Amino acid sequence: MFHRIGRTVVRHPVWTIVAWLIAAVAIIATAPSLPSNSDESSFLPSSYESIKAMDVQEKAFPAAFTPAAIVLYQRTDGAALTDADKSEITKITDELGKKKIDQVQKVVEGSASKDGKYQTALVQMNKETAGQPKQADAAKALRDDSTALAKGTDLKVQVGGQAAQALDQQDAGKTSDAVALVGSLLIIIITLAIIFRSPIIAIMPLVILTGVVFTVANALIADATKIFGLQANSSISALLIVVVLGVGTDYFLFLMFRYRERLRAGDEPKEAMINSVTRVGEAIASAAGAVIISFLALALSTLGFLTQLGPALAILVAVTLIAGLTLFPAICSLIPPRALFWPGKKWQQEPSDARFAAIGRVVGRRSGMVAIVSGLVMLLLALGTLGYKASYDLASGSIPKTKESMVVQDTLQKAYSAGAAEPTSVFLTSTSNKPLGSVDYTAYADKLKKVDGVADVSFDQKNDLNKDGTTANFTVTLKYESASDKAIAAVGDVRTVAHDNAPPGTEALVGGSSSIFKDINAAVNHDYKTVFPVAAILIMIILGLLLRSVVAPWYLIASVALGFGATLGATVLIFGRGDGLIFLLPIIMYLFVVAIGTDYNILMIARLREEAQEGREPREAASMALRHAGPTIGAAGFILAATFATLMLSGNAFLTQMGFAVAFGIIVAAFVMAMFFTPSLTALMGHAAWWPGHADRTREAAPGGPAPERELDESGHR
């Protein structure tokens, strides 16, 4: 199949390029705009208690609201607010409500801090558009208008809350995108220029990947988002840029290293490209298949963010794969080798590859020692996972502390009770739709107050009972910030007490931010038990089909799992000692490290099989595989790791953690696992690694098989 693809593309390069351009224009022109949602509650399905509580609140207390934005007032000199200041605050709050800002439905006065230095106003926005960009625009308008209204007074006005956090996250995301793009471009250009000494090869993948592949993939992602009703999130955009550049450059490198190798072996240019696609196409397609399946496994997640991220990345990698097998070879085949590799002059010379030849000899001769040492390195790093702790504060993780919304959040936590900014609500509802009647509200509130971690419980029968008398709302203020581990644990205890003490004929539901985080925690634990095993099983199936073996997939996936443990352990040791790692990180890390680690394993094991098919014994095949595939894996691993590492420059804690984790995982996958652990284990297992098939048998022995194409040996002879 790959021979046919290579032959068709190389013999008809112009038509291949034209077909790509026509398809790109059609896809981009018909794609809808990509929506965005940053509302944490949209992560969860309706079966979770926190979402059920939101539904109860909307039906029973339509006038009540969880503020989408909070306006924080204080004096510019930091002193306590005066009566004149309070009058100005009332005036500004009223004026903000009268401005009829789009999405803003109500602006009401909040409460004063205990020290008298702060006052708040609470902003209600349209619930139907929660988390969408238009609410971030409303937050910007609130900031501009409140600042203008406070001009000439002694007041300083700042706007925080979810809508303001979404605004600041957008701004931070633009910085992240720019840093990731510029950093990735520079790394790829410099590295490719050093490897191939050719400006054309250094620039070509970037032009194709950013100008065609990324644009087409983005349009297809928008189509999928609309068709399947997925949730989009602004924070994935920087990740998509890094993935398309990193993975796309990897596939380009796989092709170009093999193309140069075939030219050095004496193939005519077009035949060399056809042979390159034939030889490396299966490895690229299998590697991409493993990545795509890993990402699609996220569709089994219960979190909206991940169910969007998985298909988006799968689409991106699929488009990149098609480009790697068609567009890249078509364009390269139009350019004569002398022009393609210009001004470099050594592309025709077979290098000694002394470093990788030496590594190959060590792996071949001392396979047992290499397997033990490389395995121990990963195992020792994996011990760091014992200290893993999750953080559910996505806002703080994705927004710099200096942004206004974060300053407001920190101020509210210090000036008020830590949980006052986002209180927990306990809804006691009649199961028969009859008035609650004889319920002892005071006794119920007292039970809630006794829960460890609860600072206060308020209930006013006049204001906190709906007009039908069927639902009561108890406002529970926790002692801790809503996203903290202590708050999540406390809200679990609140749920237990609320449920156990609900009077006969009633049902208790606990809502609020801490309740949402509690449910997200449960959803993540579900995903660990579902997504991880499914992705691993599907990858093993791909490996089994590629290698015609039931033995190799087991130790290959085990080595990748060990690489994942080493990566998570190292990340915990560096970033996880304070508030912990962002809760999404292990899942994303698992998918990237497993999928991309499998990429390099596939490339190495495919080359090892190829060397064995040339008649070499297992240890010699491992040695030669390192010599030939080592430079490709080393260059690809360095570029991909470096592109992900650019995320660490974003100023975004989530992307910083992700950038380090994925970059480190790729380094482990390329330079420890694929270069040492996998080939040494395969050499030790010998022919048993390919059982029950005989994928390593010589091609001469294969009935009707093609004649072998012997590679150059170390002396330069075929």
Side-chain angles (χ1 to χ4, degrees), residues 3 7 18 129 151 261 359 418-419 439 492 529 550 597 634 637 648 672 678 682 708:
H3 181 75
R7 186 176 57 196
V18 169
T129 55
K151 194 172 183 179
E261 184 181 318
I359 293 172
V439 170
K529 297 174 184 176
V550 297
M648 297 177 67
V672 179
T678 295
T682 306

Side-chain angles (χ1 to χ4, degrees), residues 242 271 299 338 463 519 605 706:
V242 171
E271 194 62 30
R338 290 186 181 277
N463 298 316
D519 288 339
I605 203 78

